[in-house]
Amino acid sequence: PKAYYRPYPEFSQIAEREPVHPQIVAENGPDSAHFQYVHRATVTPKLLDWSIVDREWRFLTGWPVADGDDSDEMALRIHSNMFGLGGAISVFAGQSNHRLIFACTPVDDGYSTMFYSIWEPRLPGDESDIPPESVRKRIEKQFLGTVWDDLEIWRYQKYVEHPALSRVDAKPYMALRKWAQQFYDVEPV
């Protein structure tokens, strides 16, 4: 914690009682195509690796260098661990080195409360817990707005049993759905 600015209140947001199911949020992870259309990303991230370890879904996403000739060269790598459908911790390494905590907690049938928090590294020599204005503005612009972009879709998104998926996303997406089944108490028919 001493290496980071305090995440609250500057870098934390909460969205209460939204009509969003936690699985919709979890399925955002392996959906690489949405970054261009929802977040206006200039490059499309690549799902580099994923695995299931006990009750965790772990995945590594890479953001290619925008102007690079080598499609395997990554400007940013995001190591994410989902523990259950409603919680995730992500470590950003590369051109950004922050940590992200995201929780989607069901509060009743069909509604969830979402919490989003960023741990941003302190600037060299800065001992303050409170981030300077320049850092706050950059984090708000680059990262805090992304959850609101997603939320505009999640509020209206419905679960589709057999979704149309891009070839690159299909295998990890369906593996995530299979992994998610362990968190439901469903009686056998």
Side-chain angles (χ1 to χ4, degrees):
K2 291 181 180 183
Y4 299 89
Y5 292 111
R6 68 183 188 192
Y8 183 83
E10 291 84 5
F11 301 144
S12 298
Q13 295 187 350
I14 192 165
E16 296 188 69
R17 223 178 126 59
E18 292 286 349
V20 176
H21 189 281
Q23 187 160 332
I24 296 291
V25 176
E27 289 182 359
N28 199 54
D31 178 10
S32 61
H34 91 278
F35 284 91
Q36 177 183 357
Y37 303 102
V38 177
H39 305 300
R40 296 162 297 286
T42 56
V43 296
T44 300
K46 295 180 180 183
L47 185 60
L48 301 174
D49 190 25
W50 55 272
S51 63
I52 297 168
V53 179
D54 297 322
R55 295 177 71 94
E56 284 185 37
W57 171 269
R58 297 178 182 175
F59 60 102
L60 172 62
T61 305
W63 289 77
V65 173
D67 299 330
D69 295 330
D70 183 359
S71 64
D72 292 329
E73 184 182 0
M74 299 296 149
L76 177 67
R77 292 176 185 265
I78 307 170
H79 304 264
S80 298
N81 289 359
M82 280 195 280
F83 42 93
L85 288 177
I89 297 175
S90 299
V91 174
F92 289 63
Q95 70 184 51
S96 178
N97 291 299
H98 67 276
R99 309 301 186 248
L100 183 146
I101 298 171
F102 189 88
C104 182
T105 306
V107 293
D108 60 29
D109 191 29
Y111 290 87
S112 299
T113 292
M114 285 164 273
F115 176 76
Y116 186 80
S117 185
I118 293 175
W119 291 67
E120 177 67 16
R122 284 195 176 115
L123 295 173
D126 190 348
E127 298 291 324
S128 175
D129 283 342
I130 301 169
E133 185 69 20
S134 61
V135 172
R136 286 198 303 255
K137 285 182 178 181
R138 181 176 52 81
I139 297 303
E140 285 174 15
K141 181 179 178 182
Q142 288 181 328
F143 302 111
L144 290 176
T146 61
V147 74
W148 302 108
D149 295 339
D150 286 321
L151 191 53
E152 286 300 314
I153 294 170
W154 295 341
R155 287 178 178 135
Y156 306 99
Q157 193 171 353
K158 301 295 180 207
Y159 184 84
V160 175
E161 187 71 32
H162 301 287
L165 299 169
S166 71
R167 187 175 305 224
V168 72
D169 291 339
K171 188 174 180 180
Y173 196 90
M174 295 313 290
L176 181 129
R177 281 193 165 187
K178 185 176 180 181
W179 167 80
Q181 290 174 358
Q182 69 183 306
F183 302 107
Y184 296 97
D185 185 20
V186 178
E187 295 291 324
V189 178

